[in-house]
Amino acid sequence: MRLLHFPVKILFPNVPAAPGMPCAGEDRSIYRRGARRWRKLYRVNGHIFQAKRFNRRAFCAFCQDRIWGLGRQGFKCIQCKLLVHKKCHKLVQKPCSNEHVDPIEVKDDANGESTLGRASSVRSRADPEPPLPETPPAPASAPVRNEDLEPGSQRQYSLDDFELIRVIGRGSYAKVLMVELKRTKRVYAMKVIKKALVTDDEDIDWVQTEKHVFETASNHPFLVGLHSCFQTPSRLFFVIEFVRGGDLMFHMQRQRRLPEEHARFYAAEISLALHFLHERGVIYRDLKLDNVLLDHEGHIKLTDYGMCKEGVRPGDTTSTFCGTPNYIAPEILRGEEYGFSVDWWALGVLTYEMLAGRSPFDIAHAADNPDQNTEDYLFQVILEKTIRIPRSLSVKAASVLKGFLNKNPVERLGCGEAGFLDIVNHPFFKSIEWEMLELKQVVPPFKPRLEGERDLANFPPEFTDEPVHLTPDNDTVIADIDQSEFEGFEYVNPLLMSLEDCV
Ligand code: C58
């Protein structure tokens, strides 16, 4: 066997003293540029309204009718939490009390205890809103041209700077490409999002959240970092540090199941990444085999922050129904308020998949039976079926799986008073040296075979034939896009820039 050694590439020229700490000379305030600008706020009678989607029954405080439909159907005052229809917001007579009043929000199931009111009031105080324009912001100005930049400021990127190499992934909102920055010949992953999709029926906040989570993730060894962001009239582009070893899904498809020692290593590195996000108020919400990437050494990195929820404090909850069906926690399916617990459930599903070589919710022959092959049936299984652990697994492995896959989030491993410490101290993880692990000082159990920077051997074959080009912009689609929603999206990671300049 031929062994090739590759120069170790680092994301930043410096290494932080500890994961999450800034690097020497790193100015975190730079990340914020353009990261929190597009929340449109509307002032009426002292209220400060923001467009919101409601996924539970909500009633308009003005006309008393239900707030309905896809997209941002309603407005919510960020101060007093008053809910109204978009169409009613200008008519609101009641002045803003500037204090929290209980929102007129009704849970679909009457028995669950809702903590939404309290959680929201804490949030608005903890996360002050940006200064308000008196009128809705003006339409986006043309992107700043590089020649116009003041000396010393960051150069912006555009699509012309990149060669599109191939499609490597696709989600409901995004296409992901492998690209090369022409000037340096470095390879990146590029997540492309059509603006029409995010403005049509989604709250724009999530694009902002994704960028903010990238900022949070930047110095953690087990989270992908951001190189730059830019836009065209029709699309948003996130240029992401490229992780070369493929994803865990691809590796599982070749391995069938992993030795316990390997699964333990991946589960422990993922735990550190999740705990890091949780400590910073972020629920990841989309842990699955496809989002766990392996770097050239075999360490993990989580990708795709499009589903993240930020600004969550211990004990806070949220209620958006989201995730990937096989990994959705029972509390989400029950329509309950939930918190960080959903990520530990998903880690349980993923660890089960690594150890057993199949999903805990796979029913034998379900694929042949049309009734059992539906999402609703899967949800029923997640909610009701007792999880069977293969007898071939060790007692400790069975125990950690039962811990994470507890249908009651209060009793779930990682969700108690001691939180993450319960995971660290679990017998299954006894051999893990957590500090060494976080410093990437533990040698991974498996090293992806890479023949070269552009080696495609580890990539899922599904996409290899797909044309890599982006469809030309359609003027009628663009005419419907409110470009002001995306103002300030451009971003360049200053540390990567200086690294590139060294080349
Ligand atoms: C990987 N599952 S964000 C392909 N898909 C993705 N890869 C990366 N990021 C993302 N270095 C995705 C997807 C996202 C949202 C929509 C769904 C797909 C990525 C980031 C950084 C590499 C990939 C499998 C894969 C991994 C590595 C190379 C090729 C393919």
Side-chain angles (χ1 to χ4, degrees):
M1 190 170 79
R2 217 151 41 100
L3 277 178
L4 290 173
H5 291 275
F6 299 98
V8 179
K9 278 215 295 199
I10 48 167
L11 182 55
F12 295 118
N14 299 314
V15 175
M21 299 270 290
C23 296
E26 181 176 353
D27 176 4
R28 282 283 169 111
S29 65
I30 282 168
Y31 295 118
R32 234 170 239 297
R33 201 180 287 161
R36 295 198 152 262
R37 275 179 47 192
W38 338 285
R39 210 174 274 185
K40 271 200 199 167
L41 300 162
Y42 304 83
R43 277 180 194 261
V44 178
N45 251 344
H47 294 286
I48 303 169
F49 288 116
Q50 189 178 26
K52 282 271 177 224
R53 262 184 319 141
F54 300 113
N55 57 344
R56 54 186 55 238
R57 268 193 276 169
F59 294 90
C60 174
F62 178 72
C63 72
Q64 315 293 325
D65 280 349
R66 186 167 174 183
I67 306 178
W68 252 112
L70 284 174
R72 284 171 286 166
Q73 325 93 325
F75 276 18
K76 180 174 186 171
C77 174
I78 62 170
Q79 296 176 134
C80 74
K81 314 293 171 203
L82 195 77
L83 305 181
V84 289
H85 286 111
K86 209 173 226 172
K87 62 173 191 216
C88 296
H89 86 276
K90 287 195 179 137
L91 309 169
V92 170
Q93 308 280 319
K94 188 172 177 274
C96 179
S97 59
N98 271 2
E99 292 161 24
H100 171 77
V101 294
D102 276 333
I104 318 172
E105 249 175 297
V106 184
K107 270 188 82 85
D108 276 328
D109 57 336
N111 48 6
E113 196 178 292
S114 173
T115 51
L116 189 76
R118 188 180 59 76
S120 308
S121 80
V122 173
R123 196 194 156 271
S124 57
R125 218 162 297 142
D127 185 9
E129 298 295 329
L132 288 172
E134 277 298 331
T135 48
S141 49
V144 185
R145 293 208 320 268
N146 296 327
E147 310 87 271
D148 300 343
L149 289 174
E150 288 179 21
S153 54
Q154 300 293 333
R155 183 186 172 278
Q156 297 293 336
Y157 287 98
S158 76
L159 201 47
D160 287 341
D161 294 313
F162 296 90
E163 187 194 327
L164 312 183
I165 301 172
R166 72 177 344 99
V167 180
I168 59 169
R170 188 185 283 284
S172 38
Y173 285 100
K175 174 153 132 176
V176 182
L177 312 176
M178 176 181 178
V179 301
E180 182 191 276
L181 181 60
K182 290 173 188 165
R183 192 167 60 87
T184 61
K185 299 233 172 291
R186 283 174 192 274
V187 172
Y188 296 93
M190 179 187 269
K191 180 172 173 178
V192 187
I193 299 169
K194 285 199 174 141
K195 289 178 183 174
L197 294 179
V198 292
T199 40
D200 271 4
D201 62 359
E202 271 291 340
D203 198 311
I204 196 66
D205 283 3
W206 71 256
V207 176
Q208 211 180 97
T209 295
E210 179 155 8
K211 211 167 154 193
H212 189 221
V213 174
F214 264 120
E215 168 196 333
T216 306
S218 261
N219 289 336
H220 197 274
F222 304 141
L223 296 167
V224 293
L226 185 63
H227 170 273
S228 57
C229 293
F230 57 88
Q231 58 183 313
T232 61
S234 65
R235 292 175 173 89
L236 298 171
F237 299 83
F238 286 96
V239 182
I240 308 167
E241 151 199 28
F242 192 67
V243 185
R244 291 181 288 163
D247 62 18
L248 269 187
M249 170 69 91
F250 183 79
H251 287 283
M252 282 306 300
Q253 283 166 348
R254 261 138 210 85
Q255 306 288 139
R256 217 169 84 78
R257 62 174 92 107
L258 301 186
E260 218 167 286
E261 207 47 49
H262 295 201
R264 182 180 1 267
F265 173 86
Y266 296 132
E269 286 201 342
I270 296 167
S271 296
L272 285 172
L274 292 177
H275 176 58
F276 177 85
L277 290 174
H278 293 177
E279 274 189 309
R280 284 152 187 82
V282 176
I283 316 177
Y284 179 54
R285 295 203 293 200
D286 205 15
L287 182 65
K288 53 179 169 181
L289 291 169
D290 328 53
N291 284 344
V292 183
L293 309 175
L294 294 183
D295 70 11
H296 60 288
E297 293 175 310
H299 291 286
I300 69 106
K301 266 186 199 280
L302 302 185
T303 188
D304 197 7
Y305 310 133
M307 208 77 96
C308 289
K309 166 85 185 178
E310 61 172 341
V312 186
R313 302 175 6 143
D316 275 5
T317 54
T318 184
S319 59
T320 314
F321 187 91
C322 67
T324 301
N326 186 48
Y327 297 87
I328 297 181
E331 57 270 31
I332 304 182
L333 297 176
R334 288 191 293 256
E336 293 167 9
E337 294 279 313
Y338 62 84
F340 303 115
S341 63
V342 302
D343 284 341
W344 299 122
W345 170 273
L347 179 60
V349 177
L350 189 140
T351 308
Y352 187 109
E353 290 175 323
M354 291 192 286
L355 291 166
R358 62 174 178 85
S359 160
F361 313 113
D362 270 359
I363 311 293
H365 311 299
D368 310 330
N369 184 337
D371 291 342
Q372 298 185 348
N373 204 5
T374 68
E375 212 156 77
D376 280 345
Y377 185 75
L378 172 65
F379 290 161
Q380 194 188 327
V381 171
I382 295 172
L383 283 170
E384 290 164 14
K385 196 183 153 258
T386 310
I387 289 152
R388 279 204 48 245
I389 314 273
R391 269 192 293 272
S392 57
L393 302 189
S394 73
V395 174
K396 290 169 187 171
S399 157
V400 88
L401 293 178
K402 283 187 191 138
F404 283 136
L405 294 174
N406 191 318
K407 296 191 202 294
N408 180 356
V410 176
E411 293 168 3
R412 189 172 304 149
L413 180 59
C415 310
E417 276 288 297
F420 185 59
L421 270 184
D422 284 338
I423 298 172
V424 166
N425 294 323
H426 191 282
F428 179 71
F429 291 117
K430 189 154 190 271
S431 61
I432 297 287
E433 293 183 75
W434 293 92
E435 285 84 19
M436 294 289 278
L437 193 71
E438 191 151 38
L439 293 167
K440 283 185 152 182
Q441 295 298 302
V442 177
V443 177
F446 164 80
K447 188 177 158 94
R449 248 194 66 211
L450 292 169
E451 297 282 335
E453 164 121 64
R454 252 148 255 216
D455 187 13
L456 301 172
N458 293 299
F459 299 175
E462 301 93 277
F463 300 107
T464 44
D465 296 334
E466 206 174 315
V468 67
H469 69 266
L470 303 171
T471 50
D473 285 355
N474 175 329
D475 288 343
T476 52
V477 173
I478 291 171
D480 283 343
I481 298 169
D482 176 1
Q483 297 293 349
S484 70
E485 300 264 26
F486 306 101
E487 214 179 324
F489 181 70
E490 284 76 10
Y491 164 80
V492 175
N493 186 329
L495 291 160
L496 286 173
M497 281 296 294
S498 52
L499 187 62
E500 274 166 15
D501 289 342
C502 303
V503 184

